[in-house]
Amino acid sequence: MACDVEALAWLAGHSPSLACRVFVSAGSLRMHQMNMAAAPLRTRSDLGRLVFLHIPKTGGTTLDHILRQHFLPEEVCPERHAGLESWPPILLPRFNYFSAHDSFESFERYVPKPFRMVTVLREPIDRSISNYLFWRSLTESHIEKNNLHQPRIAKTYQFKDYLKFPVADLRIWTENVMTRHLSHRTMKNEREVWADGDDSEMLDRALANLAKIDVYGISEFMDESVEVICRHFDVAMPVVVPRLNQTNTNHPEKPEFFEKVEDLSIDDETEELLRKLNRLDTVLYNEAVKSFSEKARKDGRRLSGVKSLCGRTVAHFARTVFQAEPGESGFLLFGPYIRLQRGRYTVSVEVRISSLPAGVKDGEEIGFIDVCSGKGGQTHGRQAIRVGEVSSDGFRMLHLDFALARMAMDLEVRAFTSGRCAVCINQDVRLRERA
């Protein structure tokens, strides 16, 4: 109790708003202990102290939701942004879970040791676009009420102009954001800020710090990431991995904070600008994916969120499949409308057919797989599904190579069945980049 009074007195003189938050938190803790009466306080000492380095728009809200369930509310530090330096050291040891948009070196400096750390990374250009769209989705009233400077700029300027906006405070949110979070967001050392020409040192520090992190995930491999992270910390894997804080679903769920945003168009100049601004993050991400793929033991990225317009969903031993019967025609699989950079790729789809009705001949086309964008208006690759190449003996993996000359904003994979025979399509569709 004496420590609490001393800490609150320190806070009152340095950060009144934080003092108020801690006072309420401390009051809630004491009320919780009174309600528990003589019952022992449940602890999670088996997990120890855990730090989640939450890089914005990497799918981190999903992982945070999973991890914080393993801690009591009073064990969770309420600081969610880069504000740990404002906390008195006497308060921080009471928390066992830290989750914030802060840097590796800030956590190293302020969080009591020992602790373990986890983070999630995302393809850098996709992360940059997602961050801009998220800020644009915030309502004007929410921005003004909370005086949110960076979202106000995003709301005011088109994407290319936003990326070029000449304000130093915005740079930490538009240029090599992941590299900054894995080193220090703003400071090269205690006296100098990061400057042009510091690329090599910033990247080297970020790569070295990534190697020190206990375990990390990759947003594009979210299901595998959650599995790897839960296995590492020996906690239960959720039955369904939730997708939380997604810009395209926030506005109907929280209309007081979010609104629908318009589709974004990326021209060649903007794409080149994005590549330049994410030059270090791209190196960092590629190194992380290479290492993570070995841990996940998966070949390619799983395209989560595919759907079906015909047939039904069936559990087929270790697979979950979309299945259409003879006479049912249409797109048995489509989606998930992802952003994908220009490059050369292969999409892999598992297909199986049932015994063939009379009249269906070997080599006959019974459907097709294609990759398209622009709401189906631009096809990037197509492959027929033919009897003989797929059969009733078991699932066959079909591989479709395609290339993108420029970034696609709503890429989807589709599998069409003509209805000539029963067809099963595995929902586990994989995408990998070719050299």
Side-chain angles (χ1 to χ4, degrees), residues 66-349:
I66 294 169
L67 292 176
R68 69 173 52 231
Q69 295 182 49
H70 296 280
F71 296 89
L72 295 169
E74 59 269 23
E75 291 182 286
V76 177
C77 179
E79 181 59 60
R80 296 288 289 124
H81 298 281
L84 284 177
E85 70 275 7
S86 300
W87 286 72
I90 199 170
L91 280 183
L92 294 178
R94 70 169 56 184
F95 302 118
N96 283 326
Y97 181 62
F98 295 79
S99 173
H101 296 313
D102 210 338
S103 69
F104 179 96
E105 293 175 10
S106 178
F107 283 125
E108 278 274 291
R109 181 172 183 177
Y110 297 110
V111 175
K113 296 178 176 63
F115 62 80
R116 294 186 288 178
M117 186 180 290
V118 59
T119 193
V120 179
L121 287 81
R122 181 176 182 177
E123 194 286 312
I125 291 179
D126 198 33
R127 196 216 63 81
S128 296
I129 295 170
S130 179
N131 196 83
Y132 172 75
L133 291 176
F134 176 76
W135 279 348
R136 282 183 71 86
S137 74
L138 295 172
T139 60
E140 294 280 4
S141 59
H142 182 66
I143 290 173
E144 295 307 316
K145 180 180 178 180
N146 295 279
N147 195 24
L148 304 175
H149 302 299
Q150 291 87 4
R152 186 182 291 118
I153 296 172
K155 198 84 170 175
T156 304
Y157 291 89
Q158 292 302 309
F159 193 37
K160 188 188 304 182
D161 298 322
Y162 156 84
L163 292 173
K164 295 179 177 179
F165 202 77
V167 172
D169 283 350
L170 190 61
R171 191 174 184 182
I172 65 173
W173 298 105
T174 59
E175 185 174 6
N176 297 313
V177 172
M178 296 193 299
T179 305
R180 290 176 181 274
H181 276 78
L182 282 164
S183 53
H184 193 283
R185 292 166 68 237
T186 56
M187 302 301 294
K188 179 179 180 179
N189 51 51
E190 292 185 359
R191 299 179 302 278
E192 299 175 279
V193 298
W194 289 117
D196 295 336
D198 289 336
D199 280 14
S200 294
E201 183 176 348
M202 184 190 290
L203 180 59
D204 288 346
R205 275 165 61 175
L207 287 169
N209 290 337
L210 180 65
K212 297 175 186 176
I213 289 178
D214 294 83
V215 64
Y216 62 84
I218 303 293
S219 180
E220 287 75 17
F221 298 83
M222 185 54 77
D223 290 341
E224 294 88 346
S225 295
V226 171
E227 180 181 354
V228 167
I229 291 167
C230 287
R231 187 168 62 242
H232 182 88
F233 293 123
D234 195 25
V235 298
M237 170 84 177
V239 177
V240 177
V241 177
R243 267 38 177 198
L244 303 176
N245 196 26
Q246 294 184 308
T247 301
N248 60 346
T249 59
N250 276 339
H251 66 275
E253 297 172 359
K254 301 176 182 178
E256 68 275 22
F257 301 129
F258 301 99
E259 59 190 14
K260 188 174 182 179
V261 291
E262 71 280 5
D263 291 337
L264 197 59
S265 177
I266 305 290
D267 60 21
D268 291 341
E269 182 186 355
T270 305
E271 188 170 350
E272 284 303 315
L273 182 57
L274 282 166
R275 290 179 185 278
K276 179 181 177 181
L277 291 172
N278 290 281
R279 60 198 180 279
L280 305 185
D281 277 5
T282 299
V283 176
L284 178 73
Y285 175 79
N286 288 340
E287 287 297 316
V289 168
K290 188 188 306 180
S291 174
F292 181 84
S293 296
E294 296 170 1
K295 295 179 183 178
R297 299 188 184 92
K298 299 290 184 181
D299 183 17
R301 164 186 177 182
R302 181 182 181 185
L303 297 182
S304 301
V306 294
K307 299 179 181 179
S308 180
L309 284 175
C310 67
R312 65 189 191 279
T313 302
V314 177
H316 192 281
F317 297 101
R319 300 172 175 86
T320 302
V321 304
F322 295 128
Q323 180 172 312
E325 300 300 330
E328 292 183 295
S329 64
F331 285 104
L332 190 54
L333 178 143
F334 70 96
Y337 305 106
I338 61 170
R339 289 185 291 270
L340 193 64
Q341 292 188 61
R342 67 189 182 202
R344 300 167 68 243
Y345 300 91
T346 299
V347 65
S348 301
V349 181

